[in-house]
Amino acid sequence: MVSTMVQSYSQNHYEVIEIENGYQFTTMAGVDYFLTFFSYPTVSEFLSTNIYMFNIERATYPYAPNGGQDDVKVRNTILFVLELFFQEHEDALITICDVVDGKQFARKRLFDLWFRKFNNNRLIKLESECQIDDVPTYVSLLFSAGHYDQEGLRKSFQELVEINFYN
C-alpha cells in the first residue's frame, strides 16, 4: 500500500535517478542534487537496526534569474526520496545540518517546517545540538513511529549526543 505521503509527491517532484548509495535529480534551472544514504557507525553494539546518515548535496550552481531559489519540487523530491527510504528500510536516518556556509540554523528551520507539514505522525524525530569544529549545528534522528526498537534507537542517539557524534 502506498502511503499518503508518497501519493502527494508522486505528481509534483523531479524525476529521480537511482545512483550508488542514493538518488540524483536535476531541477528545471539545471541544479544537480545528490541525495545519499551512508551507513553510520553506531556506538551501541547491541542495536538491532542500522543507522544511516542522510546527505543532501547541491552539486551545481548555475546562474538562475530568480537568484537560484529552489522551487517546491525540490522539497517534494527530497521528501519523496525519504519516503522511499522508509518504505524499503526499517532503519533510522541521522541528518546533520551542514555548517560550511553558516546557514545550519536556516537548514534546521526549513527541515523542521517540512517535517511538521508532511509527517502525519508516521516518523519520530529526535533532535540535538552539537559542535563541529567549535561551530554549533543541529542533528536529528528519524525513524518509523512503528519501529520495533525505539528504546534502542533513543539510547544510541543519546550516546552519540554525549560523545558529540564522534567515536
Side-chain angles (χ1 to χ4, degrees):
M1 179 175 167
V2 177
S3 76
T4 341
M5 189 185 256
V6 170
Q7 290 174 356
S8 68
Y9 303 135
S10 65
Q11 299 300 314
N12 192 24
H13 66 81
Y14 288 109
E15 179 182 348
V16 294
I17 300 166
E18 195 165 348
I19 59 171
E20 184 177 356
N21 299 318
Y23 299 88
Q24 174 186 355
F25 69 94
T26 303
T27 68
M28 289 177 19
V31 177
D32 293 317
Y33 283 87
F34 295 92
L35 309 177
T36 52
F37 303 91
F38 295 100
S39 182
Y40 192 89
T42 175
V43 294
S44 172
E45 294 177 11
F46 306 103
L47 193 60
S48 60
T49 192
N50 292 323
I51 297 179
Y52 288 88
M53 179 175 287
F54 177 59
N55 293 312
I56 302 170
E57 180 183 352
R58 184 176 175 168
T60 56
Y61 295 85
Y63 171 76
N66 66 355
Q69 295 297 317
D70 294 329
D71 57 53
V72 71
K73 288 177 79 171
V74 170
R75 175 201 67 200
N76 288 354
T77 306
I78 292 168
L79 294 173
F80 175 76
V81 166
L82 286 173
E83 182 64 24
L84 289 175
F85 176 86
F86 283 109
Q87 281 184 356
E88 296 174 8
H89 299 91
E90 291 186 359
D91 304 313
L93 288 179
I94 285 184
T95 62
I96 301 175
C97 295
D98 194 354
V99 299
V100 71
D101 58 3
K103 295 181 182 179
Q104 60 272 22
F105 186 66
R107 287 182 180 91
K108 178 195 179 322
R109 282 193 323 243
L110 180 61
F111 193 73
D112 287 349
L113 174 68
W114 293 358
F115 186 81
R116 281 190 307 271
K117 187 172 182 179
F118 297 103
N119 180 36
N120 296 326
N121 297 318
R122 182 171 160 346
L123 299 175
I124 293 174
K125 181 171 68 158
L126 307 178
E127 299 179 291
S128 183
E129 184 176 323
C130 69
Q131 299 286 320
I132 296 177
D133 297 327
D134 296 322
V135 177
T137 195
Y138 307 93
V139 181
S140 298
L141 179 70
L142 302 169
F143 55 90
S144 172
H147 195 280
Y148 59 89
D149 191 15
Q150 289 186 24
E151 188 56 37
L153 287 169
R154 290 176 192 279
K155 182 179 180 234
S156 290
F157 186 70
Q158 185 57 42
E159 289 173 0
L160 287 169
V161 167
E162 290 170 6
I163 63 168
N164 206 35
F165 291 84
Y166 295 101
N167 285 331

